[in-house]
Amino acid sequence: MSIKEQFNLVSKEYDSARRIFIPCFDSFYEKTTEFLATINLNPKRILDLGAGTGLLDAFYIKHFPNAKYHLVDVADKMLEVAKKRFDSLENICFEVNDYAQNYRYKDFDMVISALSIHHLEDETKQTLFERIYESLPKGGIFVNYDQFCYDDKDLSEKADSYWCRKIESSSLSEDEIKKWKERWKLDREVSVKQEIQMLNKAGFKKAECVFYELKFGVIIGYKD
């Protein structure tokens, strides 16, 4: 089953289970975004790649309410949830598209993404990072909230096992866990170190990890 099909399948219940799948939910989404908002960011137009239900954008809007947002996702039913979430706002638009294959965005000074890019093969990630860098103006920013492995294979396997046990013993139904395990098969994780190297190669000479816990990290890249 494709990424689009997998995420369309869980679109209605996707947000409700986020705190189970992401044990560090508050720090990952809310506190990290709050921190980033203190470092003199002033985006006018924000592009969200793999926006899904618009969860990440809900945190950004708290800090940048006047920015214009463009949410892109391959899963149309996920974006339908986002449209309902932001029904009363006029500064948000939506696009069903495969950003990994059809990246053509030029008018944004900030690009964000959450839990999407780790589904891409490494070569596709590298190409995407290069296109993002080329599309941003000087001073533009890319922020990736994502899922990572460790450089050490044994440690990475232990982290996966720990994470899996926690989810299996949660309040999720057997069907929800089964769907998650199917989605997990689509993951193509790299380590934080590897992604920063990819960003450096793409042109982001300033790239840093500003949050990391268990398997979840946030990396920011600046275009000088």
Side-chain angles (χ1 to χ4, degrees):
M1 192 178 292
S2 69
I3 290 175
K4 175 181 178 179
E5 292 169 329
Q6 291 274 15
F7 283 93
N8 274 337
L9 190 65
V10 298
S11 58
K12 291 182 179 179
E13 67 266 24
Y14 184 80
D15 282 358
S16 62
R18 289 296 85 194
R19 290 183 182 276
I20 293 175
F21 292 124
I22 310 170
C24 55
F25 181 97
D26 289 328
S27 295
F28 181 67
Y29 278 109
E30 186 169 15
K31 292 181 181 179
T32 302
T33 304
E34 184 179 83
F35 163 66
L36 292 175
T38 70
I39 58 176
N40 298 320
L41 304 182
N42 188 29
K44 300 295 190 299
R45 299 198 68 200
I46 299 174
L47 171 65
D48 186 354
L49 303 177
T53 64
L55 180 59
L56 180 60
D57 304 278
F59 290 100
Y60 267 76
I61 287 169
K62 293 178 183 179
H63 301 286
F64 308 111
N66 297 320
K68 293 184 178 180
Y69 294 80
H70 191 86
L71 280 59
V72 181
D73 201 285
V74 71
D76 55 307
K77 291 183 180 179
M78 294 284 275
L79 281 182
E80 287 299 323
V81 176
K83 288 178 182 179
K84 292 179 182 178
R85 182 196 294 273
F86 301 121
D87 183 54
S88 63
L89 300 181
E90 297 181 354
N91 58 329
I92 301 179
C93 62
F94 309 88
E95 178 183 349
V96 178
N97 206 340
D98 182 353
Y99 68 82
Q101 301 298 323
N102 303 311
Y103 191 90
R104 47 171 173 63
Y105 306 99
K106 296 289 185 180
D107 299 322
F108 299 91
D109 52 1
M110 188 173 196
V111 178
I112 61 176
S113 184
L115 299 173
S116 178
I117 293 174
H118 72 275
H119 294 127
L120 307 179
E121 299 292 347
D122 289 0
E123 184 178 351
T124 307
K125 288 187 185 78
Q126 185 64 58
T127 299
L128 175 66
F129 294 153
E130 291 168 3
R131 290 175 176 170
I132 292 172
Y133 181 81
E134 292 170 0
S135 72
L136 286 169
K138 185 176 181 179
I141 296 166
F142 169 57
V143 190
N144 187 25
Y145 297 64
D146 218 340
Q147 184 178 308
F148 299 92
C149 62
Y150 291 98
D151 288 303
D152 182 272
K153 184 179 178 180
D154 182 59
L155 185 60
S156 199
E157 290 175 352
K158 285 181 169 60
D160 284 349
S161 179
Y162 174 81
W163 185 40
C164 188
R165 289 198 305 273
K166 287 290 186 180
I167 291 173
E168 288 176 334
S169 62
S170 73
S171 59
L172 292 175
S173 67
E174 289 185 11
D175 183 58
E176 288 173 313
I177 293 172
K178 181 180 178 181
K179 289 178 182 177
W180 166 69
K181 288 185 175 179
E182 287 301 309
R183 298 196 303 275
W184 197 7
K185 294 177 183 178
L186 300 172
D187 294 351
R188 301 292 183 266
E189 299 169 349
V190 295
S191 69
V192 166
K193 179 180 177 181
Q194 288 172 316
E195 181 150 312
I196 289 176
Q197 289 173 340
M198 287 179 168
L199 289 172
N200 290 158
K201 184 178 179 181
F204 291 98
K205 302 307 179 187
K206 293 172 62 177
E208 295 281 351
C209 178
V210 295
F211 170 82
Y212 195 76
E213 185 173 327
L214 187 58
K215 291 181 63 64
F216 301 94
V218 180
I219 296 176
I220 183 169
Y222 297 87
K223 182 170 181 177
D224 290 328

